[in-house]
mmCIF file of all heavy atoms in Angstrom:
data_model
loop_
_atom_site.group_PDB
_atom_site.id
_atom_site.type_symbol
_atom_site.label_atom_id
_atom_site.label_comp_id
_atom_site.label_asym_id
_atom_site.label_seq_id
_atom_site.Cartn_x
_atom_site.Cartn_y
_atom_site.Cartn_z
ATOM 1 N N MET A 60 -4.323 21.916 36.707
ATOM 2 C CA MET A 60 -5.245 21.696 37.856
ATOM 3 C C MET A 60 -6.083 23.028 38.084
ATOM 4 O O MET A 60 -5.515 24.052 38.404
ATOM 5 C CB MET A 60 -4.432 21.355 39.116
ATOM 6 C CG MET A 60 -5.309 21.209 40.349
ATOM 7 S SD MET A 60 -4.432 20.474 41.722
ATOM 8 C CE MET A 60 -3.026 21.589 41.859
ATOM 9 N N ASP A 61 -7.377 22.940 37.908
ATOM 10 C CA ASP A 61 -8.168 24.136 38.085
ATOM 11 C C ASP A 61 -8.567 24.325 39.520
ATOM 12 O O ASP A 61 -8.286 23.513 40.393
ATOM 13 C CB ASP A 61 -9.448 24.016 37.229
ATOM 14 C CG ASP A 61 -10.199 22.782 37.474
ATOM 15 O OD1 ASP A 61 -9.987 22.165 38.562
ATOM 16 O OD2 ASP A 61 -11.025 22.364 36.640
ATOM 17 N N ALA A 62 -9.229 25.440 39.796
ATOM 18 C CA ALA A 62 -9.502 25.807 41.202
ATOM 19 C C ALA A 62 -10.493 24.784 41.842
ATOM 20 O O ALA A 62 -10.321 24.401 42.983
ATOM 21 C CB ALA A 62 -10.181 27.145 41.260
ATOM 22 N N LEU A 63 -11.443 24.309 41.075
ATOM 23 C CA LEU A 63 -12.423 23.335 41.601
ATOM 24 C C LEU A 63 -11.741 22.072 42.058
ATOM 25 O O LEU A 63 -12.004 21.552 43.094
ATOM 26 C CB LEU A 63 -13.523 23.020 40.565
ATOM 27 C CG LEU A 63 -14.565 22.070 41.052
ATOM 28 C CD1 LEU A 63 -15.328 22.645 42.233
ATOM 29 C CD2 LEU A 63 -15.595 21.790 39.912
ATOM 30 N N THR A 64 -10.846 21.523 41.216
ATOM 31 C CA THR A 64 -10.119 20.327 41.548
ATOM 32 C C THR A 64 -9.272 20.547 42.783
ATOM 33 O O THR A 64 -9.159 19.692 43.625
ATOM 34 C CB THR A 64 -9.244 19.909 40.368
ATOM 35 O OG1 THR A 64 -10.081 19.699 39.235
ATOM 36 C CG2 THR A 64 -8.509 18.562 40.680
ATOM 37 N N PHE A 65 -8.610 21.723 42.869
ATOM 38 C CA PHE A 65 -7.742 22.008 44.012
ATOM 39 C C PHE A 65 -8.531 22.076 45.303
ATOM 40 O O PHE A 65 -8.133 21.498 46.293
ATOM 41 C CB PHE A 65 -7.016 23.345 43.781
ATOM 42 C CG PHE A 65 -6.168 23.749 44.924
ATOM 43 C CD1 PHE A 65 -4.922 23.143 45.079
ATOM 44 C CD2 PHE A 65 -6.570 24.718 45.867
ATOM 45 C CE1 PHE A 65 -4.083 23.504 46.154
ATOM 46 C CE2 PHE A 65 -5.743 25.066 46.928
ATOM 47 C CZ PHE A 65 -4.488 24.466 47.050
ATOM 48 N N GLU A 66 -9.712 22.642 45.243
ATOM 49 C CA GLU A 66 -10.560 22.748 46.458
ATOM 50 C C GLU A 66 -11.019 21.358 46.925
ATOM 51 O O GLU A 66 -11.055 21.048 48.139
ATOM 52 C CB GLU A 66 -11.820 23.634 46.164
ATOM 53 C CG GLU A 66 -11.464 25.082 46.015
ATOM 54 C CD GLU A 66 -12.692 25.917 45.701
ATOM 55 O OE1 GLU A 66 -13.772 25.297 45.639
ATOM 56 O OE2 GLU A 66 -12.551 27.128 45.588
ATOM 57 N N GLN A 67 -11.305 20.458 45.963
ATOM 58 C CA GLN A 67 -11.713 19.107 46.286
ATOM 59 C C GLN A 67 -10.550 18.329 46.850
ATOM 60 O O GLN A 67 -10.741 17.534 47.776
ATOM 61 C CB GLN A 67 -12.279 18.421 45.048
ATOM 62 C CG GLN A 67 -13.560 19.011 44.583
ATOM 63 C CD GLN A 67 -14.065 18.362 43.303
ATOM 64 O OE1 GLN A 67 -13.349 17.639 42.676
ATOM 65 N NE2 GLN A 67 -15.309 18.632 42.914
ATOM 66 N N GLU A 68 -9.340 18.512 46.347
ATOM 67 C CA GLU A 68 -8.204 17.742 46.784
ATOM 68 C C GLU A 68 -7.636 18.256 48.092
ATOM 69 O O GLU A 68 -6.927 17.550 48.775
ATOM 70 C CB GLU A 68 -7.110 17.770 45.705
ATOM 71 C CG GLU A 68 -7.530 16.971 44.466
ATOM 72 C CD GLU A 68 -6.414 16.982 43.405
ATOM 73 O OE1 GLU A 68 -5.412 17.670 43.660
ATOM 74 O OE2 GLU A 68 -6.552 16.339 42.392
ATOM 75 N N THR A 69 -7.945 19.497 48.435
ATOM 76 C CA THR A 69 -7.418 20.084 49.659
ATOM 77 C C THR A 69 -7.777 19.264 50.878
ATOM 78 O O THR A 69 -7.030 19.138 51.860
ATOM 79 C CB THR A 69 -7.952 21.533 49.829
ATOM 80 O OG1 THR A 69 -7.549 22.313 48.683
ATOM 81 C CG2 THR A 69 -7.340 22.182 51.103
ATOM 82 N N GLU A 70 -8.979 18.711 50.879
ATOM 83 C CA GLU A 70 -9.471 17.952 52.001
ATOM 84 C C GLU A 70 -8.674 16.661 52.207
ATOM 85 O O GLU A 70 -8.617 16.071 53.246
ATOM 86 C CB GLU A 70 -10.964 17.592 51.869
ATOM 87 C CG GLU A 70 -11.840 18.842 51.775
ATOM 88 C CD GLU A 70 -13.292 18.477 51.532
ATOM 89 O OE1 GLU A 70 -13.549 17.258 51.362
ATOM 90 O OE2 GLU A 70 -14.128 19.372 51.530
ATOM 91 N N HIS A 71 -8.054 16.179 51.083
ATOM 92 C CA HIS A 71 -7.312 14.912 51.157
ATOM 93 C C HIS A 71 -5.810 15.080 51.248
ATOM 94 O O HIS A 71 -5.092 14.097 51.165
ATOM 95 C CB HIS A 71 -7.681 14.028 49.908
ATOM 96 C CG HIS A 71 -9.166 13.859 49.793
ATOM 97 N ND1 HIS A 71 -9.886 13.024 50.633
ATOM 98 C CD2 HIS A 71 -10.067 14.389 48.952
ATOM 99 C CE1 HIS A 71 -11.138 13.005 50.289
ATOM 100 N NE2 HIS A 71 -11.267 13.851 49.225
ATOM 101 N N LEU A 72 -5.376 16.320 51.284
ATOM 102 C CA LEU A 72 -3.885 16.530 51.274
ATOM 103 C C LEU A 72 -3.325 16.071 52.639
ATOM 104 O O LEU A 72 -3.899 16.215 53.703
ATOM 105 C CB LEU A 72 -3.608 18.059 51.115
ATOM 106 C CG LEU A 72 -3.817 18.560 49.708
ATOM 107 C CD1 LEU A 72 -3.525 20.056 49.655
ATOM 108 C CD2 LEU A 72 -2.925 17.845 48.722
ATOM 109 N N SER A 73 -2.126 15.631 52.576
ATOM 110 C CA SER A 73 -1.426 15.155 53.791
ATOM 111 C C SER A 73 -0.785 16.407 54.456
ATOM 112 O O SER A 73 -0.504 17.387 53.811
ATOM 113 C CB SER A 73 -0.320 14.169 53.473
ATOM 114 O OG SER A 73 0.621 14.762 52.640
ATOM 115 N N PRO A 74 -0.625 16.334 55.820
ATOM 116 C CA PRO A 74 0.000 17.484 56.501
ATOM 117 C C PRO A 74 1.383 17.889 55.966
ATOM 118 O O PRO A 74 1.689 19.038 55.911
ATOM 119 C CB PRO A 74 0.181 16.935 57.969
ATOM 120 C CG PRO A 74 -0.902 15.838 58.056
ATOM 121 C CD PRO A 74 -0.996 15.264 56.675
ATOM 122 N N VAL A 75 2.091 16.904 55.407
ATOM 123 C CA VAL A 75 3.417 17.223 54.883
ATOM 124 C C VAL A 75 3.298 18.158 53.677
ATOM 125 O O VAL A 75 4.039 19.120 53.514
ATOM 126 C CB VAL A 75 4.118 15.901 54.446
ATOM 127 C CG1 VAL A 75 5.459 16.274 53.749
ATOM 128 C CG2 VAL A 75 4.343 15.008 55.647
ATOM 129 N N VAL A 76 2.296 17.855 52.799
ATOM 130 C CA VAL A 76 2.061 18.727 51.625
ATOM 131 C C VAL A 76 1.649 20.127 52.050
ATOM 132 O O VAL A 76 2.101 21.122 51.487
ATOM 133 C CB VAL A 76 1.014 18.093 50.724
ATOM 134 C CG1 VAL A 76 0.688 18.997 49.530
ATOM 135 C CG2 VAL A 76 1.451 16.734 50.247
ATOM 136 N N VAL A 77 0.774 20.191 53.074
ATOM 137 C CA VAL A 77 0.305 21.510 53.524
ATOM 138 C C VAL A 77 1.448 22.323 54.121
ATOM 139 O O VAL A 77 1.636 23.483 53.784
ATOM 140 C CB VAL A 77 -0.794 21.314 54.623
ATOM 141 C CG1 VAL A 77 -1.151 22.689 55.240
ATOM 142 C CG2 VAL A 77 -1.969 20.579 54.039
ATOM 143 N N VAL A 78 2.305 21.645 54.935
ATOM 144 C CA VAL A 78 3.483 22.361 55.513
ATOM 145 C C VAL A 78 4.426 22.828 54.411
ATOM 146 O O VAL A 78 4.914 23.919 54.462
ATOM 147 C CB VAL A 78 4.198 21.396 56.514
ATOM 148 C CG1 VAL A 78 5.518 22.031 56.972
ATOM 149 C CG2 VAL A 78 3.262 21.145 57.706
ATOM 150 N N ALA A 79 4.667 21.971 53.450
ATOM 151 C CA ALA A 79 5.591 22.293 52.332
ATOM 152 C C ALA A 79 5.014 23.500 51.532
ATOM 153 O O ALA A 79 5.801 24.389 51.172
ATOM 154 C CB ALA A 79 5.752 21.112 51.433
ATOM 155 N N THR A 80 3.737 23.519 51.302
ATOM 156 C CA THR A 80 3.135 24.630 50.582
ATOM 157 C C THR A 80 3.283 25.928 51.355
ATOM 158 O O THR A 80 3.640 26.954 50.806
ATOM 159 C CB THR A 80 1.642 24.332 50.350
ATOM 160 O OG1 THR A 80 1.510 23.129 49.593
ATOM 161 C CG2 THR A 80 1.007 25.457 49.529
ATOM 162 N N ILE A 81 2.990 25.868 52.660
ATOM 163 C CA ILE A 81 3.096 27.058 53.533
ATOM 164 C C ILE A 81 4.554 27.513 53.548
ATOM 165 O O ILE A 81 4.810 28.728 53.502
ATOM 166 C CB ILE A 81 2.614 26.762 54.930
ATOM 167 C CG1 ILE A 81 1.135 26.450 54.915
ATOM 168 C CG2 ILE A 81 2.904 27.906 55.861
ATOM 169 C CD1 ILE A 81 0.558 26.046 56.238
ATOM 170 N N ALA A 82 5.479 26.579 53.568
ATOM 171 C CA ALA A 82 6.884 26.955 53.627
ATOM 172 C C ALA A 82 7.332 27.660 52.326
ATOM 173 O O ALA A 82 8.021 28.679 52.353
ATOM 174 C CB ALA A 82 7.779 25.719 53.826
ATOM 175 N N LEU A 83 6.886 27.147 51.173
ATOM 176 C CA LEU A 83 7.185 27.780 49.905
ATOM 177 C C LEU A 83 6.606 29.171 49.851
ATOM 178 O O LEU A 83 7.274 30.139 49.387
ATOM 179 C CB LEU A 83 6.587 26.965 48.750
ATOM 180 C CG LEU A 83 7.337 25.622 48.497
ATOM 181 C CD1 LEU A 83 6.630 24.846 47.395
ATOM 182 C CD2 LEU A 83 8.773 25.892 48.120
ATOM 183 N N ILE A 84 5.340 29.383 50.289
ATOM 184 C CA ILE A 84 4.760 30.675 50.299
ATOM 185 C C ILE A 84 5.527 31.632 51.257
ATOM 186 O O ILE A 84 5.764 32.802 50.918
ATOM 187 C CB ILE A 84 3.294 30.583 50.743
ATOM 188 C CG1 ILE A 84 2.501 29.801 49.731
ATOM 189 C CG2 ILE A 84 2.666 31.980 50.927
ATOM 190 C CD1 ILE A 84 1.032 29.527 50.118
ATOM 191 N N ALA A 85 5.924 31.107 52.394
ATOM 192 C CA ALA A 85 6.677 31.931 53.381
ATOM 193 C C ALA A 85 8.031 32.377 52.754
ATOM 194 O O ALA A 85 8.373 33.556 52.858
ATOM 195 C CB ALA A 85 6.896 31.142 54.648
ATOM 196 N N VAL A 86 8.721 31.499 52.061
ATOM 197 C CA VAL A 86 9.998 31.817 51.471
ATOM 198 C C VAL A 86 9.780 32.885 50.395
ATOM 199 O O VAL A 86 10.544 33.830 50.249
ATOM 200 C CB VAL A 86 10.654 30.582 50.827
ATOM 201 C CG1 VAL A 86 11.860 30.976 49.977
ATOM 202 C CG2 VAL A 86 11.055 29.606 51.978
ATOM 203 N N PHE A 87 8.712 32.751 49.617
ATOM 204 C CA PHE A 87 8.357 33.730 48.544
ATOM 205 C C PHE A 87 8.106 35.098 49.153
ATOM 206 O O PHE A 87 8.619 36.093 48.685
ATOM 207 C CB PHE A 87 7.151 33.247 47.775
ATOM 208 C CG PHE A 87 6.755 34.149 46.677
ATOM 209 C CD1 PHE A 87 7.464 34.258 45.535
ATOM 210 C CD2 PHE A 87 5.602 34.917 46.812
ATOM 211 C CE1 PHE A 87 7.133 35.127 44.486
ATOM 212 C CE2 PHE A 87 5.226 35.828 45.780
ATOM 213 C CZ PHE A 87 5.986 35.897 44.643
ATOM 214 N N VAL A 88 7.372 35.133 50.241
ATOM 215 C CA VAL A 88 7.014 36.423 50.891
ATOM 216 C C VAL A 88 8.274 37.042 51.467
ATOM 217 O O VAL A 88 8.508 38.268 51.307
ATOM 218 C CB VAL A 88 5.927 36.225 51.979
ATOM 219 C CG1 VAL A 88 5.789 37.498 52.838
ATOM 220 C CG2 VAL A 88 4.636 35.790 51.365
ATOM 221 N N VAL A 89 9.092 36.241 52.114
ATOM 222 C CA VAL A 89 10.383 36.758 52.677
ATOM 223 C C VAL A 89 11.230 37.296 51.535
ATOM 224 O O VAL A 89 11.914 38.350 51.747
ATOM 225 C CB VAL A 89 11.100 35.645 53.459
ATOM 226 C CG1 VAL A 89 12.487 36.107 53.890
ATOM 227 C CG2 VAL A 89 10.300 35.266 54.704
ATOM 228 N N GLY A 90 11.300 36.623 50.448
ATOM 229 C CA GLY A 90 12.099 37.076 49.319
ATOM 230 C C GLY A 90 11.624 38.465 48.833
ATOM 231 O O GLY A 90 12.418 39.342 48.550
ATOM 232 N N LEU A 91 10.318 38.616 48.719
ATOM 233 C CA LEU A 91 9.763 39.898 48.255
ATOM 234 C C LEU A 91 10.054 40.979 49.301
ATOM 235 O O LEU A 91 10.450 42.137 48.889
ATOM 236 C CB LEU A 91 8.217 39.777 48.107
ATOM 237 C CG LEU A 91 7.762 38.966 46.926
ATOM 238 C CD1 LEU A 91 6.232 38.936 46.860
ATOM 239 C CD2 LEU A 91 8.277 39.538 45.586
ATOM 240 N N ALA A 92 9.939 40.703 50.547
ATOM 241 C CA ALA A 92 10.241 41.641 51.608
ATOM 242 C C ALA A 92 11.720 42.052 51.572
ATOM 243 O O ALA A 92 12.076 43.225 51.724
ATOM 244 C CB ALA A 92 9.867 41.059 52.973
ATOM 245 N N TYR A 93 12.598 41.064 51.348
ATOM 246 C CA TYR A 93 14.029 41.302 51.288
ATOM 247 C C TYR A 93 14.342 42.276 50.123
ATOM 248 O O TYR A 93 15.139 43.198 50.267
ATOM 249 C CB TYR A 93 14.779 40.002 51.125
ATOM 250 C CG TYR A 93 16.304 40.174 51.066
ATOM 251 C CD1 TYR A 93 16.992 40.380 52.257
ATOM 252 C CD2 TYR A 93 16.954 40.140 49.837
ATOM 253 C CE1 TYR A 93 18.361 40.548 52.217
ATOM 254 C CE2 TYR A 93 18.347 40.274 49.803
ATOM 255 C CZ TYR A 93 19.051 40.522 51.016
ATOM 256 O OH TYR A 93 20.418 40.668 50.981
ATOM 257 N N GLN A 94 13.692 42.013 48.952
ATOM 258 C CA GLN A 94 13.920 42.899 47.777
ATOM 259 C C GLN A 94 13.371 44.292 48.064
ATOM 260 O O GLN A 94 14.015 45.289 47.695
ATOM 261 C CB GLN A 94 13.227 42.281 46.588
ATOM 262 C CG GLN A 94 13.891 41.062 46.053
ATOM 263 C CD GLN A 94 13.253 40.530 44.769
ATOM 264 O OE1 GLN A 94 12.180 40.926 44.422
ATOM 265 N NE2 GLN A 94 13.915 39.571 44.129
ATOM 266 N N ALA A 95 12.236 44.388 48.761
ATOM 267 C CA ALA A 95 11.637 45.707 49.023
ATOM 268 C C ALA A 95 12.566 46.499 49.961
ATOM 269 O O ALA A 95 12.809 47.669 49.749
ATOM 270 C CB ALA A 95 10.292 45.474 49.660
ATOM 271 N N ILE A 96 13.107 45.813 50.983
ATOM 272 C CA ILE A 96 13.999 46.496 51.907
ATOM 273 C C ILE A 96 15.268 46.925 51.161
ATOM 274 O O ILE A 96 15.790 47.971 51.416
ATOM 275 C CB ILE A 96 14.359 45.556 53.116
ATOM 276 C CG1 ILE A 96 13.060 45.280 53.925
ATOM 277 C CG2 ILE A 96 15.447 46.174 53.968
ATOM 278 C CD1 ILE A 96 13.328 44.232 55.035
ATOM 279 N N GLY A 97 15.757 46.052 50.260
ATOM 280 C CA GLY A 97 16.981 46.371 49.523
ATOM 281 C C GLY A 97 16.785 47.606 48.662
ATOM 282 O O GLY A 97 17.659 48.426 48.509
ATOM 283 N N LEU A 98 15.550 47.741 48.113
ATOM 284 C CA LEU A 98 15.327 48.934 47.293
ATOM 285 C C LEU A 98 15.247 50.190 48.116
ATOM 286 O O LEU A 98 15.727 51.256 47.754
ATOM 287 C CB LEU A 98 13.944 48.764 46.538
ATOM 288 C CG LEU A 98 13.986 47.706 45.416
ATOM 289 C CD1 LEU A 98 12.548 47.533 44.869
ATOM 290 C CD2 LEU A 98 14.944 48.094 44.326
ATOM 291 N N VAL A 99 14.675 50.075 49.328
ATOM 292 C CA VAL A 99 14.571 51.264 50.220
ATOM 293 C C VAL A 99 15.980 51.679 50.688
ATOM 294 O O VAL A 99 16.292 52.865 50.675
ATOM 295 C CB VAL A 99 13.709 50.930 51.424
ATOM 296 C CG1 VAL A 99 13.747 52.049 52.438
ATOM 297 C CG2 VAL A 99 12.249 50.661 50.964
ATOM 298 N N ILE A 100 16.770 50.677 51.060
ATOM 299 C CA ILE A 100 18.108 50.993 51.529
ATOM 300 C C ILE A 100 19.004 51.288 50.333
ATOM 301 O O ILE A 100 19.739 52.231 50.277
ATOM 302 C CB ILE A 100 18.715 49.865 52.349
ATOM 303 C CG1 ILE A 100 17.816 49.564 53.581
ATOM 304 C CG2 ILE A 100 20.123 50.103 52.747
ATOM 305 C CD1 ILE A 100 18.256 48.433 54.427
#
């Protein structure tokens, strides 16, 4: 799926898909932050 197709499909995505995507990104960011804190400590 290229960027153009993704931009076109974004308008038709259901709220559930949007929430799930945001949740996955949030978990990924939290994981990186956890690793960063672990390295500092």
Side-chain angles (χ1 to χ4, degrees):
M60 178 168 55
D61 54 20
L63 181 61
T64 303
F65 179 76
E66 290 179 359
Q67 291 177 347
E68 291 181 355
T69 301
E70 299 177 356
H71 304 288
L72 287 178
S73 63
V75 176
V76 176
V77 175
V78 171
T80 303
I81 295 175
L83 288 176
I84 295 175
V86 170
F87 180 72
V88 172
V89 171
L91 288 179
Y93 182 78
Q94 289 182 348
I96 295 174
L98 290 176
V99 171
I100 299 178

